[in-house]
């Protein structure tokens, strides 16, 4: 199951643009017909125009259905992202409407061409073509709201983060202002990605570092795990459930300095709550801002400073060792996501 490239979702044309594209292509096809006999030329032209217009509409609509990610193929985290951002039910229902319209378009083409072949006068050919155009326009009009919804949804989905479920992932949690984004920026080998995060009004920071050609992803949790349970809404609880399927390790950051905006007791209560919520996840407790921390504590797994770099390499090494992504259970088998060559 590869990561979803949300930015590759194609632009959705407006309903009238789809019709203009279909009818424009049809007119150009009609000009390609050559026959010295007017009767046969017009019949061929009208037949080709109907076929071309309906084919363009069908292919355009089907391209959206085919190129938009299938929800069934998404990870549980990505499904939760879609549900929070635009709604999974609306997503499926509106794509299904386009598929229905594409099938109706093909049916219109077949019925109109059969009718044209049965007619025996030039005016009848033109009328059959206009009637098919009218039916096609009506079909596109019926799904105009679904097309417009998909256009708006595309703009939202393109801002979502792309997280590869086949690579190690580290979830970073903690109270506000404890240094989650700073840690991701300090450990990342490149500029961290900033993306929309539909679960909160804040943005998601997604960074990564590499070790032995393997990418270790780091994801922060803005507004999700940094406040008490009663203050969380349904969408945030959905996000927390999704996190259970996302990370290999959870880093919980604690700010024990005098500058902390949240008391240590509140942070520790939140830590206990996070451990209960994600009971199957290995949790590393990391004390941040060690460069200005007056007294050290031995109860935390690591003390770091994203400013001075203190403790960062030790933390990175510990994460790599815990995740143990390069461990080989069966030396004769390949990982599920590796490409394979089929034997002929």
């Amino acid at each position: 199951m590869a990561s979803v490239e949300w930015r590759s979702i194609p632009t959705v044309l407006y309903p009238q643009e789809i019709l203009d594209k279909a009818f424009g292509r049809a007119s150009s096809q009609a000009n390609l017909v050559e026959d010295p006999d007017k009767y046969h030329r017009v019949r061929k032209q009208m037949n080709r125009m109907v076929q071309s217009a309906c084919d363009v509409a069908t292919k355009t609509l089907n391209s959206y259905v085919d190129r938009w990610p299938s929800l069934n193929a998404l990870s549980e985290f990505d499904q939760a992202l879609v549900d929070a951002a635009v709604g999974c039910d609306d997503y499926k229902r509106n794509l299904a409407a386009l598929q229905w319209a594409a099938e109706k378009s093909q049916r219109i083409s077949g019925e109109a061409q059969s009718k044209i072949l049965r007619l025996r006068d030039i005016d009848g050919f033109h009328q059959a073509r206009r009637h098919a155009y009218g039916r096609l326009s009506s079909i596109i009009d019926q799904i105009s709201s679904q097309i417009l919804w998909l256009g708006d949804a595309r703009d939202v989905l393109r801002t979502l983060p792309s997280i590869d479920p086949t690579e190690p992932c580290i979830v970073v949690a903690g109270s506000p202002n404890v240094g989650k984004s700073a840690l991701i920026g300090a450990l990342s080998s490149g500029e961290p990605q900033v993306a929309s995060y539909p679960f909160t009004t804040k943005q998601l920071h997604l960074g990564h570092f590499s070790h032995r050609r393997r990418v270790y992803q780091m994801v922060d949790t803005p507004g999700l795990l940094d406040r008490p349970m009663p203050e969380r809404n349904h969408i945030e609880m959905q996000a927390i459930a999704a996190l259970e399927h996302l990370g290999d390790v959870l880093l919980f950051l604690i700010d024990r300095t005098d500058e902390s905006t949240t008391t240590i007791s509140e942070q520790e209560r939140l830590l206990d709550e996070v451990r209960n919520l994600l009971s199957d996840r290995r949790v590393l407790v990391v004390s941040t801002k060690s460069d200005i921390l007056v007294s050290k504590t031995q109860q935390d797994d690591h003390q770091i400073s994203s400013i001075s770099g203190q403790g960062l390499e030790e933390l990175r090494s510990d994460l790599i060792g815990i995740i143990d992504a390069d461990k080989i259970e069966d030396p004769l088998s390949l990982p599920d996501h590796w490409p394979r060559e089929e034997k002929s």
Side-chain angles (χ1 to χ4, degrees):
M1 184 182 295
S3 60
V4 182
E5 292 298 330
W6 298 108
R7 291 186 176 276
S8 67
I9 296 179
T11 301
V12 179
L13 298 176
Y14 287 110
Q16 188 57 51
E17 289 177 326
I18 295 176
L19 291 174
D20 291 344
K21 178 182 177 181
F23 297 150
R25 184 75 57 81
S27 296
S28 65
Q29 288 296 310
N31 295 330
L32 300 177
V33 175
E34 296 182 0
D35 196 306
D37 183 83
K38 181 179 180 180
Y39 173 87
H40 290 97
R41 183 174 68 252
V42 172
R43 184 168 70 174
K44 291 177 182 178
Q45 286 176 329
M46 298 304 103
N47 188 70
R48 182 172 293 188
M49 290 177 74
V50 169
Q51 180 179 1
S52 178
C54 291
D55 282 350
V56 168
T58 298
K59 290 178 181 178
T60 300
L61 297 174
N62 278 335
S63 70
Y64 300 146
V65 176
D66 294 339
R67 293 179 62 189
W68 280 55
S70 169
L71 290 181
N72 294 333
L74 298 182
S75 67
E76 294 190 46
F77 180 76
D78 283 326
Q79 288 185 41
L81 281 180
V82 172
D83 203 19
V86 298
C88 285
D89 290 341
D90 289 338
Y91 185 100
K92 290 185 287 188
R93 181 167 54 250
N94 290 315
L95 282 178
L98 267 63
Q99 190 170 22
W100 168 84
E103 293 170 356
K104 292 288 289 185
S105 175
Q106 281 298 90
R107 189 177 304 171
I108 291 170
S109 175
E111 292 173 354
Q113 290 181 76
S114 297
K115 183 177 181 180
I116 290 173
L117 291 176
R118 294 195 303 268
L119 294 172
R120 293 294 181 264
D121 62 285
I122 291 178
D123 287 341
F125 300 153
H126 284 286
Q127 290 177 9
R129 190 266 305 169
R130 286 193 293 268
H131 180 67
Y133 275 19
R135 292 179 63 192
L136 180 59
S137 298
S138 177
I139 291 298
I140 298 299
D141 183 63
Q142 287 183 55
I143 62 165
S144 60
S145 61
Q146 286 86 351
I147 294 173
L148 295 175
W149 184 94
L150 287 168
D152 293 337
R154 173 197 181 257
D155 295 337
V156 175
L157 294 174
R158 277 173 53 84
T159 66
L160 297 182
S162 295
I163 299 175
D164 190 344
T166 65
E167 296 290 0
C169 184
I170 302 154
V171 176
V172 183
S175 297
N177 304 315
V178 296
K180 297 190 289 287
S181 299
L183 172 62
I184 290 176
L187 281 182
S188 294
S189 53
E191 190 69 25
Q193 174 191 350
V194 179
S196 293
Y197 203 46
F199 301 120
T200 75
T201 57
K202 302 177 184 179
Q203 287 183 311
L204 168 75
H205 291 81
L206 173 64
H208 67 273
F209 62 87
S210 299
H211 175 72
R212 293 182 178 175
R213 295 184 294 180
R214 184 178 292 279
V215 176
Y216 291 75
Q217 304 166 106
M218 300 188 70
V219 183
D220 73 354
T221 56
L224 292 182
L225 302 178
D226 57 7
R227 59 175 176 269
M229 180 77 72
E231 298 180 18
R232 299 185 184 122
N233 58 37
H234 171 72
I235 291 179
E236 290 171 329
M237 291 306 299
Q238 182 183 26
I240 292 170
L243 287 174
E244 294 180 349
H245 307 279
L246 180 63
D248 299 281
V249 176
L250 188 140
L251 289 185
F252 190 91
L253 274 52
I254 289 186
D255 181 359
R256 299 186 183 276
T257 69
D258 294 335
E259 299 179 359
S260 173
T261 58
T262 308
T263 66
I264 294 177
S265 61
E266 289 177 316
Q267 294 183 67
E268 289 179 341
R269 282 198 298 271
L270 179 62
L271 172 59
D272 291 337
E273 188 175 307
V274 168
R275 278 177 165 152
N276 290 330
L277 285 170
L278 307 177
S279 57
D280 295 333
R281 188 76 47 80
R282 173 68 183 273
V283 177
L284 284 183
V285 181
V286 179
S287 179
T288 61
K289 306 177 185 178
S290 63
D291 54 320
I292 58 174
L293 186 61
V294 176
S295 59
K296 309 291 184 179
T297 175
Q298 299 300 318
Q299 69 187 80
D300 299 332
D301 296 296
H302 290 272
Q303 289 83 38
I304 65 156
S305 169
S306 299
I307 302 300
S308 67
Q310 177 183 340
L312 292 183
E313 286 307 314
E314 292 83 353
L315 175 59
R316 190 200 310 264
S317 298
D318 198 10
L319 289 169
I320 292 171
I322 291 171
I323 295 173
D324 199 14
D326 296 318
K327 181 179 180 181
I328 300 176
E329 299 287 352
D330 181 357
L332 299 181
S333 66
L334 293 175
D336 292 338
H337 63 283
W338 280 30
R340 290 169 168 77
E341 291 185 2
E342 298 293 339
K343 294 182 178 180
S344 56

